[in-house]
Amino acid sequence: ALYGVKVNLNESVRHVRAGGTRAEAKLEIKLASRRLQEAEELAARGELTPELRSLTEERFTVHAEAAHKGITKLQPINLVAASDVGTLSEADLRAHERILMNMSSSNAVESEIQALLVAVRAYIGRVSDARTQAENAIIAGGGPDVVAAVRRQLKSAEGKINEVGELIARAKEHANAEAVAEAEARLEIAKNTLASGRVKIEAGVHGEAFPLLQKATRMASEAEALITVGGSLDIQSGMSGEEGAEPTLP
């Protein structure tokens, strides 16, 4: 009980300090991720009871809903910020979806994991829709604004890919090997998507380049989450997934 009080107090303080819709939305994403990580740790030990799953899901939903509202509030103010925050949220949720899927097939609390997956997937859909709306609005605007957005996103994607590459290299010595392999696969997709985005930029088709660069950033961020969260869990089933058991794809 004391731990719960301390966590709630510390997180309330962070809410006060965050300030601004973008910062608040990013904080809510982190808190939603933390709730899922707590559930994953319990599941890995076979301790995710129906009561704990229900409590964790309720807390996750509060933060996920707040993050989604933050993205929608950003859309009329700053489309690029809305797209960026949507990309971060979607990547994080997809990483947790993958982790939970990989745990479910050989876990004593599979039914609770499956129930949690339903909630996670619901928010993946909502966040993805909000992110896509922001991207489409940016592209529809055309002109210098799109060019500026593409240049910014290219730099962001390149930086994130390099950062995650270094993270994976450091994690190989201590992280879950299957999580590392999955993260490397995601990072490779990010690199290939970035290359496709560069081709569009060189051709002057900036409207087509922007969503590709966003996807590259999203895939790299997903790889990062798989390492930072999944890399420390004892997951018995394969991280690569099996036919018919793939997560929702971006």
Side-chain angles (χ1 to χ4, degrees):
L2 179 60
Y3 170 75
V5 170
K6 184 176 180 181
V7 167
N8 291 335
L9 176 60
N10 289 341
E11 292 180 352
S12 296
V13 170
R14 292 192 189 100
H15 268 279
V16 172
R17 290 177 178 174
T21 303
R22 182 173 185 165
E24 289 173 356
K26 291 177 74 174
L27 175 58
E28 294 293 354
I29 293 167
K30 289 182 179 180
L31 297 178
S33 179
R34 189 171 301 162
R35 299 293 83 84
L36 292 177
Q37 186 174 353
E38 290 168 354
E40 288 155 2
E41 290 169 353
L42 287 168
R45 300 195 299 267
E47 299 173 2
L48 186 63
T49 64
E51 294 76 17
L52 288 174
R53 190 270 306 161
S54 179
L55 178 61
T56 302
E57 182 178 333
E58 180 181 341
R59 290 176 175 175
F60 159 74
T61 299
V62 168
H63 296 304
E65 183 64 29
H68 179 263
K69 286 182 179 179
I71 296 169
T72 57
K73 284 182 180 179
L74 280 168
Q75 287 182 346
I77 304 170
N78 188 333
L79 284 170
V80 173
S83 179
D84 287 349
V85 175
T87 289
L88 175 64
S89 180
E90 186 178 346
D92 200 76
L93 289 173
R94 288 188 187 280
H96 282 289
E97 178 193 27
R98 167 61 76 182
I99 292 167
L100 288 167
M101 281 185 60
N102 292 332
M103 299 179 75
S104 67
S105 62
S106 60
N107 197 295
V109 292
E110 179 180 359
S111 61
E112 303 308 322
I113 294 174
Q114 290 295 331
L116 194 55
L117 269 169
V118 171
V120 172
R121 284 170 174 158
Y123 278 98
I124 287 176
R126 295 180 64 187
V127 168
S128 179
D129 287 344
R131 187 260 308 159
T132 301
Q133 288 175 6
E135 286 183 3
N136 289 341
I138 291 170
I139 295 168
D145 289 343
V146 173
V147 175
V150 165
R151 288 174 178 170
R152 179 183 178 280
Q153 194 58 46
L154 175 62
K155 183 177 181 180
S156 176
E158 290 173 338
K160 177 57 70 175
I161 287 172
N162 290 335
E163 175 188 339
V164 176
E166 293 174 359
L167 174 66
I168 292 174
R170 293 195 302 270
K172 285 184 176 180
E173 295 182 0
H174 58 80
N176 180 295
E178 293 172 341
V180 170
E182 180 73 4
E184 287 179 325
R186 288 290 190 274
L187 188 61
E188 189 63 25
I189 294 173
K191 291 178 179 178
N192 292 337
T193 306
L194 176 62
S196 297
R198 287 194 180 116
V199 170
K200 296 295 184 181
I201 293 172
E202 291 172 2
V205 192
H206 292 84
E208 295 180 19
F210 185 75
L212 288 171
L213 298 176
Q214 281 282 39
K215 180 180 178 180
T217 303
R218 192 163 62 251
M219 297 305 293
S221 297
E222 186 177 336
E224 180 180 31
L226 283 166
I227 284 292
T228 56
V229 178
S232 62
L233 294 173
D234 181 16
I235 301 173
Q236 299 300 321
S237 60
M239 289 293 290
S240 59
E242 298 177 359
E243 186 176 352
E246 285 298 310
T248 55
L249 295 175

